[in-house]
Amino acid sequence: MLLQDKVAVISGAASPRGIGMATARLFASQGASVVILDLDETAAREAAGQLPAGNHLGLACNVASRRDCQQAAATTLAHYGHIDALINNAGITQPVRTLDIDPESWDRILDVNLRGVLYLSQAFLPSMRERKAGSIACMSSVSAQRGGGIFGGPHYSAAKAGVLGLAKAMAREFGPDNIRVNCVTPGLIQTDITGGKLTDELRQDIIKGIPLNRLGNAEDVANAYLFLASDLSAYITGAVIDVNGGMLIH
Ligand code: NAD
Protein backbone atom coordinates (compact mmCIF):
# COMPACT_ATOMS: atom_id res chain seq x y z
CA MET A 1 0.00 0.00 0.00
CA LEU A 2 1.73 3.14 -1.22
CA LEU A 3 -0.49 5.66 0.59
CA GLN A 4 -1.31 3.87 3.85
CA ASP A 5 -2.67 6.38 6.42
CA LYS A 6 -2.04 9.34 4.11
CA VAL A 7 -4.55 12.09 3.38
CA ALA A 8 -4.91 13.26 -0.21
CA VAL A 9 -6.97 16.13 -1.64
CA ILE A 10 -7.95 15.89 -5.31
CA SER A 11 -9.64 18.74 -7.18
CA GLY A 12 -12.02 18.09 -10.07
CA ALA A 13 -12.62 14.53 -8.95
CA ALA A 14 -16.39 13.98 -9.12
CA SER A 15 -16.70 13.31 -12.84
CA PRO A 16 -17.37 9.53 -13.10
CA ARG A 17 -15.10 8.89 -16.14
CA GLY A 18 -12.59 11.58 -15.22
CA ILE A 19 -8.92 11.46 -14.27
CA GLY A 20 -9.67 12.88 -10.81
CA MET A 21 -12.16 10.15 -9.91
CA ALA A 22 -9.84 7.42 -11.24
CA THR A 23 -7.12 8.93 -9.05
CA ALA A 24 -9.41 9.01 -6.02
CA ARG A 25 -10.27 5.31 -6.50
CA LEU A 26 -6.61 4.37 -6.90
CA PHE A 27 -5.48 6.41 -3.90
CA ALA A 28 -8.23 4.95 -1.70
CA SER A 29 -7.27 1.43 -2.80
CA GLN A 30 -3.70 2.26 -1.74
CA GLY A 31 -4.82 3.13 1.80
CA ALA A 32 -5.39 6.90 1.54
CA SER A 33 -8.19 8.98 2.98
CA VAL A 34 -9.36 11.04 0.03
CA VAL A 35 -11.00 14.47 -0.15
CA ILE A 36 -12.85 14.98 -3.41
CA LEU A 37 -13.32 18.63 -4.40
CA ASP A 38 -15.63 19.60 -7.24
CA LEU A 39 -18.11 22.28 -8.25
CA ASP A 40 -21.22 20.46 -7.09
CA GLU A 41 -21.43 19.40 -3.46
CA THR A 42 -23.83 16.50 -4.00
CA ALA A 43 -21.71 15.10 -6.82
CA ALA A 44 -18.55 15.42 -4.71
CA ARG A 45 -20.21 13.67 -1.75
CA GLU A 46 -21.59 10.89 -3.91
CA ALA A 47 -18.20 10.35 -5.55
CA ALA A 48 -16.55 10.11 -2.12
CA GLY A 49 -19.25 7.63 -1.08
CA GLN A 50 -18.33 5.35 -4.00
CA LEU A 51 -14.68 4.98 -3.00
CA PRO A 52 -13.28 1.83 -1.41
CA ALA A 53 -13.91 1.88 2.35
CA GLY A 54 -12.17 4.60 4.30
CA ASN A 55 -12.57 8.01 5.86
CA HIS A 56 -13.31 10.03 2.71
CA LEU A 57 -14.89 13.46 2.21
CA GLY A 58 -16.62 15.18 -0.70
CA LEU A 59 -16.70 18.99 -0.65
CA ALA A 60 -17.89 21.74 -2.96
CA CYS A 61 -15.02 23.92 -4.17
CA ASN A 62 -14.69 26.11 -7.23
CA VAL A 63 -10.90 26.25 -7.51
CA ALA A 64 -11.13 29.64 -9.25
CA SER A 65 -12.52 31.11 -6.03
CA ARG A 66 -9.94 31.93 -3.38
CA ARG A 67 -12.63 31.83 -0.73
CA ASP A 68 -13.81 28.36 -1.76
CA CYS A 69 -10.23 27.07 -1.67
CA GLN A 70 -9.58 28.53 1.78
CA GLN A 71 -12.88 27.11 3.03
CA ALA A 72 -12.15 23.65 1.60
CA ALA A 73 -8.72 23.68 3.26
CA ALA A 74 -10.20 24.77 6.59
CA THR A 75 -12.82 21.98 6.52
CA THR A 76 -10.25 19.38 5.45
CA LEU A 77 -7.70 20.38 8.08
CA ALA A 78 -10.38 20.49 10.79
CA HIS A 79 -11.34 16.92 9.84
CA TYR A 80 -7.92 15.27 9.37
CA GLY A 81 -5.47 17.69 11.01
CA HIS A 82 -3.14 17.63 8.01
CA ILE A 83 -2.82 16.50 4.41
CA ASP A 84 0.03 14.64 2.72
CA ALA A 85 -0.79 15.16 -0.96
CA LEU A 86 -2.61 17.74 -3.04
CA ILE A 87 -3.58 16.90 -6.61
CA ASN A 88 -4.40 20.07 -8.59
CA ASN A 89 -6.42 18.25 -11.21
CA ALA A 90 -9.50 20.40 -11.96
CA GLY A 91 -9.63 21.80 -15.46
CA ILE A 92 -11.81 22.78 -18.38
CA THR A 93 -11.11 23.14 -22.08
CA GLN A 94 -12.61 24.74 -25.18
CA PRO A 95 -11.85 23.94 -28.82
CA VAL A 96 -11.53 27.38 -30.44
CA ARG A 97 -8.90 29.13 -32.54
CA THR A 98 -6.90 32.20 -31.61
CA LEU A 99 -9.10 34.75 -33.37
CA ASP A 100 -12.21 33.33 -31.72
CA ILE A 101 -11.01 33.67 -28.13
CA ASP A 102 -13.16 36.33 -26.50
CA PRO A 103 -12.25 37.95 -23.17
CA GLU A 104 -14.75 35.84 -21.20
CA SER A 105 -13.40 32.56 -22.62
CA TRP A 106 -9.82 33.62 -21.91
CA ASP A 107 -10.72 34.42 -18.30
CA ARG A 108 -12.73 31.22 -17.79
CA ILE A 109 -10.01 28.91 -19.14
CA LEU A 110 -7.18 30.71 -17.35
CA ASP A 111 -9.12 31.01 -14.09
CA VAL A 112 -9.88 27.31 -13.67
CA ASN A 113 -6.72 25.78 -15.16
CA LEU A 114 -4.09 28.19 -13.83
CA ARG A 115 -5.45 30.51 -11.15
CA GLY A 116 -7.09 27.46 -9.52
CA VAL A 117 -3.69 25.78 -9.12
CA LEU A 118 -2.36 28.86 -7.34
CA TYR A 119 -5.37 29.32 -5.05
CA LEU A 120 -5.67 25.69 -3.96
CA SER A 121 -1.91 25.41 -3.43
CA GLN A 122 -1.94 28.62 -1.39
CA ALA A 123 -4.72 27.17 0.76
CA PHE A 124 -2.76 24.02 1.71
CA LEU A 125 0.89 25.12 1.58
CA PRO A 126 1.00 26.73 5.04
CA SER A 127 -0.09 23.50 6.76
CA MET A 128 2.39 21.46 4.68
CA ARG A 129 5.13 23.91 5.58
CA GLU A 130 4.33 23.58 9.26
CA ARG A 131 4.81 19.79 9.07
CA LYS A 132 7.80 20.10 6.70
CA ALA A 133 6.21 17.52 4.43
CA GLY A 134 3.94 17.39 1.43
CA SER A 135 3.57 16.53 -2.23
CA ILE A 136 1.69 18.63 -4.77
CA ALA A 137 1.02 17.32 -8.27
CA CYS A 138 -0.37 19.68 -10.90
CA MET A 139 -2.24 18.92 -14.10
CA SER A 140 -0.67 20.41 -17.21
CA SER A 141 -1.03 18.91 -20.70
CA VAL A 142 0.90 17.91 -23.80
CA SER A 143 -0.89 20.95 -25.27
CA ALA A 144 1.44 23.14 -23.21
CA GLN A 145 4.51 21.45 -24.69
CA ARG A 146 3.56 21.17 -28.35
CA GLY A 147 1.38 24.24 -28.78
CA GLY A 148 -2.02 22.56 -28.71
CA GLY A 149 -3.26 21.10 -31.95
CA ILE A 150 -5.16 18.31 -30.26
CA PHE A 151 -8.42 19.57 -28.80
CA GLY A 152 -8.13 22.63 -26.55
CA GLY A 153 -7.51 26.10 -27.97
CA PRO A 154 -4.48 28.38 -27.57
CA HIS A 155 -5.83 29.79 -24.30
CA TYR A 156 -5.87 26.22 -22.92
CA SER A 157 -2.25 25.70 -24.08
CA ALA A 158 -1.30 29.00 -22.44
CA ALA A 159 -2.98 28.10 -19.15
CA LYS A 160 -1.40 24.64 -19.03
CA ALA A 161 2.03 26.11 -19.93
CA GLY A 162 1.50 28.56 -17.07
CA VAL A 163 0.95 25.60 -14.76
CA LEU A 164 4.41 24.26 -15.65
CA GLY A 165 6.05 27.57 -14.72
CA LEU A 166 4.02 27.99 -11.56
CA ALA A 167 4.70 24.43 -10.38
CA LYS A 168 8.45 24.67 -11.05
CA ALA A 169 8.65 27.98 -9.19
CA MET A 170 6.75 26.53 -6.22
CA ALA A 171 9.06 23.47 -6.29
CA ARG A 172 12.06 25.79 -5.98
CA GLU A 173 10.47 27.93 -3.25
CA PHE A 174 9.15 25.11 -1.07
CA GLY A 175 11.86 22.47 -1.58
CA PRO A 176 13.64 23.63 1.61
CA ASP A 177 10.39 22.86 3.48
CA ASN A 178 10.42 19.30 2.09
CA ILE A 179 7.38 20.04 -0.07
CA ARG A 180 7.66 18.57 -3.56
CA VAL A 181 5.79 20.04 -6.53
CA ASN A 182 5.58 18.21 -9.85
CA CYS A 183 3.44 18.15 -13.00
CA VAL A 184 1.89 15.60 -15.29
CA THR A 185 1.46 16.29 -19.01
CA PRO A 186 -1.05 13.84 -20.48
CA GLY A 187 -1.79 13.38 -24.15
CA LEU A 188 -5.38 12.69 -25.19
CA ILE A 189 -7.11 10.79 -22.39
CA GLN A 190 -10.58 9.28 -22.87
CA THR A 191 -12.76 11.24 -20.47
CA ASP A 192 -15.81 13.47 -20.83
CA ILE A 193 -13.82 16.71 -21.00
CA THR A 194 -14.24 16.82 -24.78
CA GLY A 195 -18.01 16.96 -24.25
CA GLY A 196 -18.78 14.69 -27.22
CA LYS A 197 -17.02 17.07 -29.60
CA LEU A 198 -14.16 14.70 -30.48
CA THR A 199 -15.08 13.17 -33.85
CA ASP A 200 -14.07 9.59 -34.78
CA GLU A 201 -12.04 11.01 -37.65
CA LEU A 202 -10.02 13.28 -35.35
CA ARG A 203 -9.58 10.40 -32.89
CA GLN A 204 -8.14 8.13 -35.60
CA ASP A 205 -5.85 10.92 -36.83
CA ILE A 206 -4.52 11.44 -33.32
CA ILE A 207 -3.93 7.70 -32.76
CA LYS A 208 -1.80 7.59 -35.94
CA GLY A 209 0.67 9.90 -34.19
CA ILE A 210 0.92 7.82 -31.00
CA PRO A 211 3.68 5.17 -30.93
CA LEU A 212 1.79 3.11 -28.32
CA ASN A 213 -1.12 3.12 -30.77
CA ARG A 214 -3.97 4.02 -28.43
CA LEU A 215 -5.47 6.93 -26.57
CA GLY A 216 -4.78 7.12 -22.85
CA ASN A 217 -7.27 6.25 -20.16
CA ALA A 218 -7.86 7.93 -16.84
CA GLU A 219 -6.02 5.17 -14.95
CA ASP A 220 -2.84 5.84 -16.96
CA VAL A 221 -2.73 9.34 -15.48
CA ALA A 222 -3.88 8.22 -12.02
CA ASN A 223 -0.84 5.90 -11.87
CA ALA A 224 1.50 8.84 -12.52
CA TYR A 225 -0.26 10.88 -9.81
CA LEU A 226 0.15 7.92 -7.43
CA PHE A 227 3.88 7.85 -8.07
CA LEU A 228 4.14 11.59 -7.42
CA ALA A 229 2.00 11.48 -4.26
CA SER A 230 3.87 8.53 -2.76
CA ASP A 231 7.32 8.27 -1.24
CA LEU A 232 8.51 6.47 -4.39
CA SER A 233 9.16 9.97 -5.75
CA ALA A 234 10.75 11.31 -2.54
CA TYR A 235 13.72 12.88 -4.40
CA ILE A 236 11.72 14.22 -7.35
CA THR A 237 10.57 17.83 -7.48
CA GLY A 238 10.07 20.36 -10.26
CA ALA A 239 9.66 17.45 -12.68
CA VAL A 240 7.23 17.01 -15.56
CA ILE A 241 5.99 13.49 -16.28
CA ASP A 242 4.68 12.84 -19.78
CA VAL A 243 1.74 10.43 -19.94
CA ASN A 244 1.18 10.52 -23.67
CA GLY A 245 1.96 7.11 -25.22
CA GLY A 246 4.91 8.70 -27.02
CA MET A 247 2.79 11.32 -28.81
CA LEU A 248 5.51 13.81 -27.91
CA ILE A 249 9.02 12.49 -27.37
CA HIS A 250 11.50 15.26 -26.57
P1 NAD B 1 -13.39 15.82 -16.67
O1 NAD B 1 -14.24 16.87 -17.31
O2 NAD B 1 -13.87 14.43 -16.59
O3 NAD B 1 -12.96 16.28 -15.21
C1 NAD B 1 -12.76 17.61 -14.86
C2 NAD B 1 -13.37 17.83 -13.50
O4 NAD B 1 -13.06 19.16 -13.06
C3 NAD B 1 -14.90 17.71 -13.51
O5 NAD B 1 -15.30 16.87 -12.45
C4 NAD B 1 -15.38 19.14 -13.31
O6 NAD B 1 -16.61 19.25 -12.65
C5 NAD B 1 -14.24 19.71 -12.48
N1 NAD B 1 -14.16 21.16 -12.53
C6 NAD B 1 -14.34 21.98 -13.60
N2 NAD B 1 -14.22 23.26 -13.23
C7 NAD B 1 -13.94 23.25 -11.90
C8 NAD B 1 -13.72 24.27 -10.95
N3 NAD B 1 -13.77 25.56 -11.29
N4 NAD B 1 -13.47 23.90 -9.68
C9 NAD B 1 -13.44 22.60 -9.32
N5 NAD B 1 -13.65 21.59 -10.17
C10 NAD B 1 -13.90 21.93 -11.45
O7 NAD B 1 -12.02 15.88 -17.49
P2 NAD B 1 -10.61 15.15 -17.29
O8 NAD B 1 -10.17 14.83 -18.66
O9 NAD B 1 -10.63 14.11 -16.26
O10 NAD B 1 -9.73 16.41 -16.82
C11 NAD B 1 -8.97 16.43 -15.63
C12 NAD B 1 -7.77 17.33 -15.88
O11 NAD B 1 -6.93 16.73 -16.86
C13 NAD B 1 -8.10 18.72 -16.40
O12 NAD B 1 -7.27 19.68 -15.78
C14 NAD B 1 -7.74 18.63 -17.88
O13 NAD B 1 -7.43 19.89 -18.43
C15 NAD B 1 -6.55 17.71 -17.81
N6 NAD B 1 -6.18 17.03 -19.03
C16 NAD B 1 -7.07 16.23 -19.67
C17 NAD B 1 -6.69 15.59 -20.83
C18 NAD B 1 -7.64 14.71 -21.58
O14 NAD B 1 -7.36 14.39 -22.75
N7 NAD B 1 -8.75 14.29 -21.01
C19 NAD B 1 -5.40 15.76 -21.34
C20 NAD B 1 -4.50 16.58 -20.66
C21 NAD B 1 -4.91 17.21 -19.50
Side-chain angles (χ1 to χ4, degrees):
M1 301 275 253
L2 288 170
L3 299 178
Q4 191 64 56
D5 300 327
K6 305 247 187 202
V7 180
V9 175
I10 307 172
S11 68
S15 171
R17 274 172 25 96
I19 294 166
M21 182 65 189
T23 305
R25 275 195 296 267
L26 180 63
F27 281 22
S29 75
Q30 289 289 329
S33 295
V34 176
V35 183
I36 286 184
L37 305 181
D38 214 301
L39 290 171
D40 182 71
E41 180 163 16
T42 310
R45 274 214 206 123
E46 281 175 9
Q50 287 163 16
L51 297 177
N55 180 13
H56 311 301
L57 272 185
L59 303 174
C61 175
N62 172 3
V63 295
S65 154
R66 196 157 196 237
R67 220 169 119 219
D68 276 18
C69 291
Q70 297 288 342
Q71 183 59 55
T75 307
T76 300
L77 294 171
H79 192 82
Y80 300 101
H82 76 280
I83 72 161
D84 299 282
L86 168 63
I87 310 295
N88 279 311
N89 174 74
I92 54 171
T93 190
Q94 185 190 28
V96 292
R97 290 166 180 261
T98 303
L99 297 181
D100 300 320
I101 300 172
D102 53 43
E104 293 73 29
S105 301
W106 174 267
D107 285 349
R108 202 164 48 86
I109 295 292
L110 270 286
D111 278 356
V112 179
N113 291 293
L114 180 55
R115 188 188 292 269
V117 173
L118 175 68
Y119 285 171
L120 201 56
S121 301
Q122 283 179 326
F124 284 102
L125 274 164
S127 69
M128 286 182 167
R129 188 159 53 182
E130 240 169 60
R131 296 181 72 228
K132 294 256 177 272
S135 172
I136 300 178
C138 304
M139 176 55 89
S140 178
S141 168
V142 73
S143 291
Q145 300 163 308
R146 46 163 271 165
I150 299 168
F151 186 80
H155 50 351
Y156 180 76
S157 298
K160 293 300 193 187
V163 171
L164 295 179
L166 175 61
K168 289 179 187 186
M170 292 196 295
R172 196 175 286 284
E173 184 177 341
F174 291 97
D177 295 305
N178 194 33
I179 299 167
R180 301 181 296 105
V181 188
N182 294 288
C183 285
V184 294
T185 43
L188 189 58
I189 309 298
Q190 303 184 83
T191 70
D192 294 325
I193 199 169
T194 45
K197 288 188 186 151
L198 183 71
T199 61
D200 274 349
E201 199 186 347
L202 180 55
R203 188 192 313 267
Q204 289 314 320
D205 267 4
I206 291 170
I207 290 174
K208 278 186 205 146
I210 302 176
L212 289 182
N213 206 31
R214 66 170 176 90
L215 298 184
N217 53 52
E219 288 72 25
D220 292 321
V221 184
N223 284 329
Y225 274 149
L226 174 61
F227 170 68
L228 292 175
S230 79
D231 292 339
L232 288 179
S233 58
Y235 198 52
I236 297 178
T237 196
V240 178
I241 299 192
D242 293 344
V243 190
N244 65 23
M247 173 194 274
L248 179 75
I249 297 178
H250 52 121

